[in-house]
Amino acid sequence: MTEFAVEYCDLFKGEWIRDLRGPQYTNRSCSSIPHSKNCFKNGRQDRDFLKWRWKPDACELPKFDPRIFFVLVRDKTMAFIGDSVARNHVESLICLLSMEEKPINTYADADNKFRTWKFPKNNFTLVVLWSKFLIHEKERVINGTDSTNFDLQLDKLDTNWTRKLTGVDYLVISDMHWLFRINYLYENGNLIGCTYCNEPNIRAYDIDFVVERMVRLVLNHINDCEECNEGLVTLLRTFSPAHFEYGSWNNGGKCNRTRPYRGGEINLESQDWKLRGTQVKELESIRKAVKKGKRFDILDISRAMLMRPDGHPDVYSGNEWMKGYSDCVHWCMPGPVDVWNDFLMSVLKRYADFSRLREINQ
């Protein structure tokens, strides 16, 4: 099958199949794996979950190749915007790129939530911009204590990321996990409802409503962005599901499976899949109204990751504040999260100019 055919098949519909070669890096070869994702260092014993690869139904998905990736992004800046799962994606990317060139950490804020790395040999800049919700938020304080519940402005974006778009060539947008809590929703400064609440005289909304409004506002802002690069490519990464069983994160929930699900074992009627559908719908809508050469595409990881209940840290996160609890949201490294960068490389090829594709194929 030709390279061109691989790029434009449906990469995101398929199955996990056996691959005894294992991962491209290890927790020994990649020194930048965060402690919380270093599952083997934190005591995980099984290795079987590493011996699978994603096989699209109609083609092959090429494995990530840092040489090819650097050809695609040479002289470019790529920004990942979102929460700690977005950061998990970047952490995987850095391990894979480090096989070709080690990055220089040029900026980190006090909490390591806003970071910049440079790959000088390839003149590539990688940026992480932290945002819990992408939209403006303020945590509610009750009796002097943070409540972990937030006031969300559905018509106002988080300026911590919107003001940093100048000079960016590729955006990878994702967020959602902070929505699974009681949050209060505002529009034009007025309270219009809440999620996961049961309060008199306040309308209760499903989080699908919030996702729709949030994604629409984000994509419209990028489309209208005057200071953004002409030809900016924005990739919307779909929802990365959690896999808690036997309870939620704080009441006994675990994710201790050691093998993937088959496609027929996942629930495509679930809330996770519904949220992914909302994201896809909003992306399709903005693609009909693009401005100034901007381009929008999708990293549709949801189906593949619904099948990977075995890929989370579970009790092997090593986080002191999670002691006694399971992390079924983030992903072990190495692990199935690395396929996100297989997807990323293939999608980026769609937007490469002919000279770069010719260089790749030489």
Side-chain angles (χ1 to χ4, degrees):
M1 184 170 288
T2 66
E3 182 95 344
F4 184 85
V6 168
E7 296 307 319
Y8 287 89
C9 81
D10 187 350
L11 298 172
F12 309 113
K13 187 175 182 181
E15 294 279 353
W16 291 93
I17 65 172
R18 271 294 188 180
D19 185 354
L20 299 182
R21 293 172 296 177
Q24 293 175 270
Y25 66 91
T26 70
N27 66 340
R28 292 185 178 181
S29 67
C30 182
S31 61
S32 63
I33 297 176
H35 183 68
S36 61
K37 318 297 182 352
N38 201 334
C39 300
F40 298 133
K41 184 177 179 180
N42 295 323
R44 182 166 182 168
Q45 297 298 312
D46 69 282
R47 300 292 197 273
D48 190 71
F49 78 102
L50 297 178
K51 298 173 183 177
W52 302 86
R53 69 178 176 88
W54 180 251
K55 172 64 174 69
D57 290 339
C59 58
E60 294 291 333
L61 174 66
K63 292 297 290 182
F64 187 91
D65 184 326
R67 184 191 68 85
I68 291 175
F69 189 89
F70 277 129
V71 171
L72 295 170
V73 299
R74 187 187 301 132
D75 305 321
K76 303 290 187 180
T77 296
M78 177 178 289
F80 286 73
I81 303 171
D83 56 20
S84 58
V85 180
R87 189 166 64 239
N88 201 168
H89 186 176
V90 175
E91 291 157 353
S92 163
L93 180 59
I94 288 174
C95 280
L96 291 163
L97 291 177
S98 294
M99 297 188 296
E100 180 75 14
E101 181 186 0
K102 302 289 186 184
I104 298 171
N105 184 0
T106 60
Y107 175 77
D109 71 346
D111 298 318
N112 278 327
K113 291 181 176 179
F114 292 82
R115 298 193 64 177
T116 302
W117 296 266
K118 299 277 189 182
F119 294 82
K121 187 172 74 174
N122 291 281
N123 194 28
F124 173 56
T125 302
L126 183 59
V127 179
V128 171
L129 303 175
W130 163 264
S131 185
K132 295 186 186 77
F133 300 96
L134 301 176
I135 56 178
H136 187 275
E137 49 82 7
K138 185 175 182 181
E139 187 167 5
R140 290 196 164 195
V141 177
I142 300 175
N143 297 325
T145 303
D146 291 341
S147 66
T148 73
N149 303 326
F150 292 81
D151 292 326
L152 306 182
Q153 305 286 341
L154 297 180
D155 51 2
K156 186 177 180 182
L157 290 168
D158 176 5
T159 59
N160 287 318
W161 68 265
T162 60
R163 64 188 180 187
K164 297 180 180 179
L165 298 182
T166 303
V168 174
D169 301 287
Y170 299 102
L171 285 175
V172 182
I173 303 282
S174 60
D175 233 335
M176 212 175 293
H177 287 282
W178 285 79
L179 294 176
F180 291 85
R181 65 186 67 225
I182 297 174
N183 290 315
Y184 297 86
L185 312 177
Y186 291 78
E187 197 169 54
N188 296 319
N190 299 314
L191 179 67
I192 65 167
C194 57
T195 57
Y196 293 106
C197 62
N198 185 21
E199 299 186 28
N201 304 318
I202 300 181
R203 181 175 178 177
Y205 284 96
D206 187 90
I207 67 168
D208 184 62
F209 168 78
V210 185
V211 171
E212 179 182 76
R213 297 292 296 277
M214 177 183 75
V215 174
R216 186 179 301 166
L217 188 67
V218 167
L219 296 182
N220 281 331
H221 174 82
I222 294 169
N223 200 27
D224 292 334
C225 177
E226 293 290 339
E227 68 273 17
C228 290
N229 285 2
E230 192 166 333
L232 171 66
V233 176
T234 298
L235 305 179
L236 179 65
R237 198 262 291 153
T238 60
F239 183 53
S240 168
H243 287 94
F244 288 102
E245 296 184 274
Y246 322 114
S248 57
W249 75 271
N250 60 350
N251 64 1
K254 297 187 180 302
C255 44
N256 55 5
R257 295 180 181 264
T258 58
R259 292 173 62 88
Y261 290 132
R262 300 289 295 173
E265 296 178 287
I266 61 173
N267 180 11
L268 296 183
E269 301 296 326
S270 66
Q271 183 183 46
D272 292 343
W273 192 250
K274 180 181 179 184
L275 295 175
R276 172 259 178 202
T278 299
Q279 292 176 293
V280 171
K281 182 189 71 172
E282 292 303 319
L283 182 80
E284 290 172 346
S285 178
I286 200 69
R287 291 179 78 172
K288 297 174 183 176
V290 292
K291 301 177 181 177
K292 293 190 175 180
K294 294 188 178 74
R295 292 167 286 183
F296 295 86
D297 213 326
I298 198 158
L299 286 179
D300 193 358
I301 59 97
S302 299
R303 183 189 299 265
M305 304 316 285
L306 278 169
M307 298 183 199
R308 295 310 305 262
D310 55 330
H312 300 285
D314 192 36
V315 296
Y316 305 111
S317 72
N319 272 350
E320 280 301 314
W321 70 271
M322 286 283 291
K323 202 167 186 178
Y325 301 113
S326 292
D327 182 352
C328 302
V329 173
H330 302 95
W331 301 92
C332 291
M333 291 175 53
V337 67
D338 298 316
V339 80
W340 299 7
N341 290 307
D342 299 342
F343 290 143
L344 176 61
M345 186 183 74
S346 286
V347 172
L348 288 182
K349 286 181 185 177
R350 301 172 183 173
Y351 300 98
D353 59 44
F354 179 75
S355 63
R356 293 189 190 229
L357 292 176
R358 184 172 56 187
E359 183 179 346
I360 287 169
N361 292 321
Q362 285 177 348

